[in-house]
Every structure is written in structure tokens, then in C-alpha cells.
Amino acid sequence: MNRILFIFVITSTSGIPDKSCDRIRIGNNWYERETLWSDLGRPYNLNIHRGSNTLFFSYTQPETYSDVDFQLAYYNLDSNDHQNIVGIRGGCAVAINQATDEIYLGGSEGIYKYNMLTKLADFYKEDGVNIWALFYKRNLFYISYPDQKLYIEIDDKFSPVKEFIGMEVDHFHVNKDNDIYFANKTGLYKYDNDNNNIHIVNNLITVRQIVEDIDDNVYICTNLGLFSIKVDELEKVSDMKNVHGLAFDRDNNIVISDEKNIIKLINSKSGCIDDKDHW
Ligand SMILES: *[C@@H]1O[C@H](CO)[C@@H](O)[C@H](O)[C@H]1NC(C)=O
């Protein structure tokens, strides 16, 4: 009896790799996955309201993958309460002012503000404008669809960002040092504020999302893996090519999406022996 127990202890701690090891590595850390919501269609635009630890995102119906059939939803990471957000046709865009707890949502007929108490979206501005994306940093920005133009809200009114007139923008981000990154179908760029010109950061990747963790590090979610921005270069932190969206919760835990699922990553002390892409 004692001997059997002894053997069991040895094998379970000897680090022999489990064939089905599905832990994943990002940077120097290993994670286990906890699927929060499955059977969605391409969940994109993951954004977490840190005050309530609530994830907002968009998805399409998995059967059709119709791009006109976007839907917004929320998932509260503390209570696991989750639901579709009703009343926004073609809902696909999210931006959050973390300081004032204002949550902006966009769809094919304008911009809305989410009311945490009623769980309803109240119409905000830009009636009839097809909103592709929203971004908040001191001001609210939106990108229109299908012309991919960037607008900024100043003194209660939206106007085109003049430095970006004539340029297609699919993703827009300003970091804490006021560095401006944007992406379109041809790549990822940095706008140089001082000299008024544009640097190519990478023109091989297709960007799916640009996000910040709670320590203001910028991450780029792409078809070729996850990258972080180090000065003006991209540093690959993961080979996972299926990541559609990425967000960091109140405690800087990572939440990702793949083609169909919203997944929370849980820190794991052990990794897999073969540290190739297990996605
Ligand atoms: C993307 O932006 C860059 C930099 O402004 C520009 O040179 C390029 O033509 C744009 N690509 C598309 C598809 O508009």
C-alpha cells in the first residue's frame, strides 16, 4: 500500500509531460484556459470596464458569419452574469472612459452610452452614422464605416481628425505618452506628432486589436501572433495566431477570444515541456 502511494507521488510530480498539455505561454508566463462563453461567432473588440470588471465585446452569429449581423454583449468577470446588449443595430464597437465609468457602444446607426443600472443602451450621438470602431483617451474617437475615417469629439461635436484626412484607419490607439498607433489593411503604423509623419511599424501583419494592460503596456493582437510594443519595435510574446481579441481585467488577468470562445487565462506554475504553439 505504502509503495503504491509512493510511486503515485513520484510520477505525479516528476514533470513528465502530459500528452494533452494545453497550457499556453505568453511572454515568460504559462496559463491554463478557463472558457467563459463558447459557441459565439468571432468575438472581437474585447474591452473591460475595470470598475465593475465587466467585459464588453462584439460577435456575429456563428452559423452565418455575416458581417452585417454584429451583436454586442457583456460578461461580468466577478459574478459571471452575461447577456446580449439589446437595442443597438449592428453593434460592434466599444470604448470605455475608465475614469468616469462611461461606456460607449457603436453600431450601424450611431453611438450609444451603456447604462449599468438599467443595462440598456441610450442613444448618444451621430444618428445614422455607421460606426466601425470607438476609442477613448481624453476624447472620444470613432472610425466610420465603410470609408474608415477617423473622427474626434471636441466641444460636444465630432469632426475629422485633420492629420488623418485621406487615410484609411481600421484601428486607432493613443498610449499614455501620447504615442499614436494605427492600423489598416496594409499594416501597423506610428504617427509622429512632432514631425507630422508616419512610420511603418510592421506591414506584414493584419491587426485585430490594439490594447493596453493596466500598467500601460501596449499589445497588438494579429494574425501572426501577439506582440508588445517595445520603444518603436514589435516584440513577439506569443505565437498564437487564433487570438481575435484581448483585454486585461481589473487585476491585469488576461482575457482572450478565439474564433468561437471567450477565455480567461489563469496563471499556471507549470508549463508544457514542448513549448511550441499549442493553440
Ligand atoms: C494605411 O495607412 C498607410 C499610412 O497612412 C497608407 O500609406 C496606406 O495606403 C493605408 N492603406 C490603406 C489600405 O488605405
Side-chain angles (χ1 to χ4, degrees), residues 166-169 182-187 189 198:
M167 262 190 240
E168 271 187 27
V169 182
F182 69 97
N184 60 27
K185 274 131 212 123
T186 23
Y189 304 87
I198 291 163

Side-chain angles (χ1 to χ4, degrees), residues 7-275:
I7 291 165
F8 173 74
V9 169
I10 290 287
T11 46
S12 68
T13 57
S14 61
I16 292 168
D18 179 347
K19 252 199 229 127
S20 62
C21 180
D22 71 345
R23 283 177 282 264
I24 57 172
R25 194 175 68 167
I26 296 177
N28 294 322
N29 301 314
W30 285 92
Y31 300 90
E32 291 187 58
R33 305 166 217 205
E34 180 190 335
T35 300
L36 302 179
W37 196 339
S38 53
D39 292 322
L40 296 160
R42 291 194 293 204
Y44 276 123
N45 300 319
L46 274 55
N47 274 274
I48 292 173
H49 170 237
R50 305 232 161 95
S52 63
N53 224 17
T54 305
L55 168 74
F56 292 84
F57 66 97
S58 70
Y59 69 95
T60 54
Q61 299 306 319
E63 310 84 56
T64 60
Y65 279 118
S66 161
D67 283 349
V68 292
D69 205 13
F70 284 115
Q71 168 71 55
L72 286 160
Y74 73 83
Y75 189 104
N76 185 303
L77 296 159
D78 292 340
S79 67
N80 298 323
D81 170 34
H82 57 283
Q83 216 172 289
N84 283 337
I85 296 167
V86 295
I88 302 179
R89 183 180 292 233
C92 68
V94 184
I96 300 172
N97 179 349
Q98 303 285 359
T100 62
D101 300 310
E102 283 163 301
I103 297 161
Y104 300 97
L105 304 172
S108 54
E109 293 173 355
I111 303 172
Y112 304 74
K113 250 182 173 175
Y114 184 71
N115 184 325
M116 292 290 259
L117 299 176
T118 61
K119 298 187 174 176
L120 293 174
D122 303 319
F123 182 77
Y124 180 58
K125 276 175 191 172
E126 300 301 86
D127 195 5
V129 177
N130 199 337
I131 307 294
W132 163 265
L134 288 164
F135 177 76
Y136 188 89
K137 185 74 119 211
R138 281 180 295 276
N139 296 81
L140 182 63
F141 295 83
Y142 77 79
I143 298 167
S144 57
Y145 180 85
D147 52 359
Q148 308 298 137
K149 282 197 180 126
L150 181 68
Y151 293 80
I152 181 172
E153 183 184 38
I154 299 170
D155 297 334
D156 282 337
K157 268 184 58 192
F158 284 96
S159 40
V161 177
K162 63 175 191 308
E163 290 82 359
F164 284 77
I165 287 175
M167 262 190 240
E168 271 187 27
V169 182
D170 292 359
H171 302 274
F172 179 77
H173 190 89
V174 185
N175 75 3
K176 78 160 192 315
D177 300 324
N178 276 331
D179 294 330
I180 299 169
Y181 294 94
F182 69 97
N184 60 27
K185 274 131 212 123
T186 23
L188 174 68
Y189 304 87
K190 184 179 181 184
Y191 181 81
D192 178 351
N193 244 329
D194 303 326
N195 302 304
N196 240 341
N197 56 28
I198 291 163
H199 302 287
I200 299 173
V201 180
N202 188 305
N203 56 3
L204 298 171
I205 53 174
T206 301
V207 173
R208 294 181 180 142
Q209 196 173 356
I210 307 176
V211 289
E212 244 172 54
D213 68 8
I214 66 172
D215 302 318
D216 308 309
N217 301 304
V218 177
Y219 292 86
I220 317 283
C221 188
T222 83
N223 62 325
L224 299 181
L226 286 182
F227 297 83
S228 70
I229 288 186
K230 289 276 145 69
V231 196
D232 281 346
E233 304 221 321
L234 288 185
E235 183 179 293
K236 195 179 249 191
V237 294
S238 167
D239 273 327
M240 290 187 292
K241 295 176 179 59
N242 264 8
V243 182
H244 282 49
L246 171 71
F248 294 85
D249 79 358
R250 185 172 52 205
D251 306 311
N252 224 16
N253 292 309
I254 302 172
V255 177
I256 59 172
S257 61
D258 63 14
E259 292 106 333
K260 287 195 167 174
N261 309 290
I262 302 283
I263 300 152
K264 184 176 175 180
L265 301 186
I266 314 287
N267 261 299
S268 166
K269 285 194 182 68
S270 56
C272 303
I273 296 287
D274 171 11
D275 69 3

